[in-house]
Amino acid sequence: MSKTTYIPGHYYHIYNRGVNRQAIFFAKHNWGFFIQRLREYFMDETAVIIAYCLMPNHFHLLVRVLCEDFGRSVMQPFGTSYTKAINREQYRVGSLFQGRYKGKRVDKEGYLLHLSRYIHRNPVEAKLVKHPTDWHFSSYRDYVGLREGTLPKPNIILSQFSSIAEYAEYVEAGDDNQDIKHLLFDE
């Protein structure tokens, strides 16, 4: 569990990476399985996923917590479930993730918008793709209308823009990604 105290009604940036910065996805179906697990554990009564991005060796979630004891009742079983499935499939043992997941409360004005941009630009900044729409393992394609998913609930973000195109311009500009890293992580 994370040391963060999760308060129902508040937004959090939750992230973790593979042990020794190694991969957490080993085959194409692992990505889909991770998203399936998100749907199972992050139900409307526990948490709402606002944005997400899965990277080869880490993940980012922007969530609104809705239940008491979120860490123990949602995050811990979610992480354990995914780790057990991967360990069984890959004939491995031990930790998949580098320690406990991290959670940081979104408590600054404008932080939600910056965080959604950071999350959606992650594959571009890592030089895995040239454009955020090229990465299929994030909620960006849902945001800009290229895919209809049931997972992200982007209304809190998109309501800050006059159109989807304006949000896309905001993300694609990517001006503040390096400047706000100190807000995003406790490193």
Side-chain angles (χ1 to χ4, degrees):
M1 283 183 295
S2 172
K3 294 179 183 178
T4 300
T5 300
Y6 294 95
I7 303 167
H10 290 267
Y11 295 90
Y12 294 86
H13 176 208
I14 298 172
Y15 52 97
N16 205 350
R17 66 180 170 205
V19 67
N20 292 325
R21 299 181 181 191
Q22 294 174 350
I24 59 174
F25 302 103
F26 300 90
K28 187 174 180 180
H29 66 272
N30 296 151
W31 305 80
F33 180 73
F34 190 96
I35 292 170
Q36 176 190 334
R37 285 293 194 238
L38 285 175
R39 286 188 181 114
E40 292 171 14
Y41 285 92
F42 291 72
M43 298 174 289
D44 287 338
E45 61 271 4
T46 61
V48 176
I49 295 179
I50 307 302
Y52 71 90
C53 186
L54 311 182
M55 299 290 284
N57 71 345
H58 68 281
F59 67 86
H60 293 275
L61 306 174
L62 172 55
V63 302
R64 182 170 184 240
V65 170
L66 300 176
C67 67
E68 298 287 336
D69 202 17
F70 173 78
R72 196 174 61 138
S73 65
V74 177
M75 283 306 299
Q76 185 176 7
F78 164 74
T80 299
S81 169
Y82 184 74
T83 298
K84 282 183 175 181
I86 292 296
N87 282 354
R88 194 169 37 254
E89 177 186 286
Q90 296 295 313
Y91 303 103
R92 63 184 304 280
V93 295
S95 297
L96 177 64
F97 295 105
Q98 183 174 308
R100 297 178 174 131
Y101 61 90
K102 314 295 186 288
K104 186 162 185 182
R105 187 170 158 204
V106 178
D107 60 357
K108 292 179 174 56
E109 186 68 29
Y111 183 45
L112 268 178
L113 298 180
H114 295 297
L115 184 54
S116 75
R117 173 167 40 192
Y118 175 83
I119 288 171
H120 288 144
R121 286 196 56 81
N122 217 255
V124 174
E125 298 297 325
K127 298 186 182 351
L128 296 171
V129 293
K130 291 185 180 200
H131 193 274
T133 57
D134 296 336
W135 192 251
H136 291 267
F137 309 110
S138 86
S139 54
Y140 186 72
R141 295 173 59 82
D142 301 282
Y143 269 64
V144 298
L146 294 177
R147 175 179 63 208
E148 282 192 37
T150 57
L151 198 53
K153 306 289 187 196
N155 294 346
I156 187 71
I157 303 297
L158 292 179
S159 68
Q160 305 299 308
F161 297 88
S162 62
S163 67
I164 289 173
E166 186 182 6
Y167 177 74
E169 287 176 26
Y170 171 75
V171 170
E172 291 163 23
D175 295 336
D176 65 359
N177 272 356
Q178 296 305 315
D179 294 340
I180 66 164
K181 274 195 173 181
H182 68 280
L183 295 174
L184 301 177
F185 302 103
D186 294 325
E187 297 176 356

